Amino acid sequence: MDRRPQLDPRALPPGTPVGPWQVADWRGCGSYGTVYQAWKQGHERAGPVALKLAHFPEDKRFDRETALLSRIHHPHVPRLLDFGHWRHPSGALYPYLAMEWIDGEPLYAWGEVYQPTSRQVLRVLAQLARALAATEAAGGMHRDVKGDNVMVLPGELRAYLMDFGSGIWAGAARITEEVLPPGTRPYRTPEALRFHWQHRLRRTVRYEAAPAEDVYALGVTAYRLVTGVYPPPATEPAARDDDQRPTTPTRSPPQVLNKRVALPLAVLIERMLAEDPEARGSANSMAEALEEAAQSAGPEADVPLFNAKRAQETPSAFKELSSVAEQKPVHRGLLWKMAPVLGVLFVGTWWLSRMPPSRPVAQVEAQEATEATVGLAHAAVTEPVGSTEVPPGWEGVALDMPQRPLPGQLKPDASGRCPGRNHTSLNGGCWRALKGGEDKCAEDENEYVHKGECYAPVFSRGRQPTSDSAQDAGSP
């Protein structure tokens, strides 16, 4: 019997060779890949690269990401340096990508720590829109634009659009079976959510994403950046069959939630969030509008979006909110009681107290104080970036399988196995398959859909699951 330790692609020790690269340090782990800092053997002076290694042999997602990145050459997209396959001692081949190392800050953390102005945010958004325009010009779409997939170099005010693992290009083969393509739920467009609602029980129907959806996701990202909360869900399912009712819930303009947001920025965010895809315009036209606004905006665009006190108190307040969110749902009454700690995270407690009961409260993303700001790791580790309460009308719709384990959920051992006989390892967590398929799912608040089947998470003993701890991350 071979008793030698088996190499796990999720935890390679320093010094492990992967193609011409040598692993230097572990940087982050997502659902489908782990990112390492690596150096080219014999060329250490050339600097580090971000080495992204697949968790599963012959993972087609890496082939598609490689093909898309090879088509895009843009100063705000990390350069693809190399790709290939790492041979495991068992003989299995695991694909890898080597990319330009981006040593910056994740977008939302940058906003909290560096106190940008509206003009600086306009410039960062313009750079991201240019990256999307380049992706569209190459015949592709990103399909997962969000704060976690953006890195900013603070000193240069330079932004990078990261993690094209969910991307696609014209003519590429589909590799998922869900109705909707990969994505993160708070960033879904009205048209995508309406389609999902109408065809959720028809497994043969597939939604085709369009470039305007990347523009919408950029709008959600911008809204979250300048207000600290997500906009309400893009559609109201209860109005789906009523032509007399608007399908888009009322959304507070960014300036209502944050008086410091300059009007040109607020107007363009609202344009990106338009219900009509044509009203959003192309990524190229949006980039031009953002650049023009950054150039012509008045002195009000040079006011920091958040005060210094908020920046100093944010880390501890984030930890407090994260701890509460993992234990039980966060209601407005609790937030009011915690106002001394959480007040700096929101525009004001007066706004929270005046919110109508039917409107979901967006929770601010939990930012761990120990999180390292390291290059591509933040992008490749597909972290959900917050959550919203289940909107009225969606209570009976099962959630998509999250892309990482839920808090307290059991995880498979080093061999990828879960302890229970009927337990399955999915997306880094242990799950129990339920009978009935997707149409019978969602009878319980902790049921999730994966490839048309219904699953329940398996938790450690003594841990009671809570629905608010689940964070939507779209389909795989």
Side-chain angles (χ1 to χ4, degrees):
M1 179 177 179
D2 187 359
R3 296 183 178 275
R4 292 177 299 176
Q6 293 297 313
L7 287 177
D8 186 338
R10 297 169 296 181
L12 295 182
T16 302
V18 177
W21 310 97
Q22 188 172 57
V23 170
D25 193 13
W26 185 95
R27 289 297 186 171
C29 184
S31 298
Y32 303 105
T34 293
V35 173
Y36 301 91
Q37 186 182 62
W39 305 78
K40 192 168 186 178
Q41 301 179 62
H43 298 80
E44 287 74 11
R45 291 186 179 182
V49 301
L51 184 70
K52 183 177 177 182
L53 180 63
H55 290 169
F56 309 104
E58 303 294 350
D59 191 334
K60 295 181 179 179
R61 293 177 182 84
F62 278 66
D63 294 337
R64 197 165 66 179
E65 185 174 2
T66 298
L68 179 55
L69 285 170
S70 66
R71 290 165 163 79
I72 304 172
H73 304 281
H74 193 269
H76 297 289
V77 175
R79 289 176 294 125
L80 176 66
L81 304 175
D82 183 33
F83 60 91
H85 289 81
W86 170 67
R87 184 177 293 277
H88 188 270
S90 66
L93 296 176
Y94 292 77
Y96 70 82
L97 304 175
M99 302 188 65
E100 178 183 5
W101 181 263
I102 307 300
D103 193 8
E105 295 277 356
L107 181 67
Y108 299 146
W110 169 74
E112 292 289 346
V113 174
Y114 289 91
Q115 301 298 290
T117 65
S118 291
R119 196 184 310 277
Q120 291 172 323
V121 168
L122 283 165
R123 288 171 178 164
V124 164
L125 294 175
Q127 294 171 12
L128 298 174
R130 287 294 182 194
L132 288 176
T135 303
E136 183 178 350
M141 288 175 288
H142 188 280
R143 299 200 304 183
D144 200 20
V145 177
K146 58 185 179 182
D148 274 2
N149 289 340
V150 174
M151 296 291 289
V152 181
L153 303 183
E156 304 174 29
L157 198 64
R158 185 180 185 86
Y160 286 85
L161 182 61
M162 316 287 285
D163 196 356
F164 284 72
S166 296
I168 198 171
W169 72 94
R174 189 183 181 105
I175 60 175
T176 58
E177 300 177 6
E178 286 74 13
V179 173
L180 294 181
T184 304
R185 182 169 295 184
Y187 300 81
R188 296 283 194 187
T189 61
E191 57 269 28
L193 291 180
R194 281 196 295 267
F195 187 94
H196 181 265
W197 181 267
Q198 295 165 359
H199 303 283
R200 64 193 183 282
L201 302 181
R202 299 173 60 188
R203 306 308 304 171
T204 59
V205 177
R206 300 289 182 267
Y207 179 77
E208 298 297 332
E213 297 182 55
D214 279 345
V215 175
Y216 182 91
L218 183 61
V220 174
T221 302
Y223 191 100
R224 164 67 177 80
L225 174 63
V226 303
T227 68
V229 298
Y230 288 108
T235 60
E236 175 53 69
R240 66 191 185 281
D241 297 323
D242 187 348
D243 294 336
Q244 304 303 314
R245 294 180 59 190
T247 58
T248 302
T250 302
R251 178 178 61 246
S252 296
Q255 282 189 309
V256 172
L257 306 185
N258 186 349
K259 296 185 298 183
R260 297 173 180 232
V261 178
L263 181 60
L265 173 58
V267 169
L268 290 176
I269 291 176
E270 287 295 304
R271 174 177 154 185
M272 287 187 278
L273 293 176
E275 182 175 11
D276 181 2
E278 294 185 2
R280 299 170 205 154
S282 66
N284 188 63
S285 65
M286 179 53 63
E288 293 176 350
L290 290 163
E291 290 165 351
E292 171 62 26
Q295 176 115 16
S296 61
E300 71 280 1
D302 296 315
V303 177
L305 286 168
F306 307 106
N307 59 46
K309 181 180 179 182
R310 179 175 187 265
Q312 294 169 359
E313 298 185 13
T314 288
S316 60
F318 268 169
K319 290 169 65 178
E320 185 74 18
L321 178 58
S322 176
S323 174
V324 173
E326 290 187 6
Q327 297 176 34
K328 56 185 177 180
V330 179
H331 298 293
R332 287 186 298 138
L334 177 59
L335 290 176
W336 180 263
K337 294 178 182 179
M338 295 177 63
V341 177
L342 300 179
V344 293
L345 296 179
F346 299 95
V347 177
T349 54
W350 65 269
W351 175 75
L352 287 174
S353 65
R354 294 174 57 177
M355 287 174 58
S358 61
R359 179 174 180 177
V361 179
Q363 298 175 357
V364 179
E365 174 189 5
Q367 178 69 34
E368 297 293 342
T370 58
E371 183 182 52
T373 54
V374 288
L376 186 64
H378 289 285
V381 181
T382 312
E383 297 281 350
V385 293
S387 64
T388 56
E389 293 179 356
V390 178
W394 281 84
E395 295 87 347
V397 180
L399 299 175
D400 293 330
M401 180 72 69
Q403 293 188 357
R404 66 169 181 171
L406 304 174
Q409 185 177 4
L410 284 176
K411 298 178 182 179
D413 58 23
S415 65
R417 297 177 181 177
C418 289
R421 175 186 296 181
N422 299 321
H423 296 167
T424 301
S425 173
L426 295 171
N427 295 353
C430 292
W431 298 83
R432 176 170 54 87
L434 303 176
K435 296 181 179 180
E438 181 179 3
D439 58 333
K440 297 297 183 183
C441 206
E443 294 178 356
D444 181 84
E445 62 181 7
N446 294 295
E447 296 177 3
Y448 298 79
V449 173
H450 178 67
K451 295 186 176 181
E453 299 298 329
C454 188
Y455 293 86
V458 179
F459 291 97
S460 303
R461 289 185 178 180
R463 198 289 192 177
Q464 295 299 321
T466 57
S467 60
D468 69 304
S469 66
Q471 306 204 5
D472 302 329
S475 52

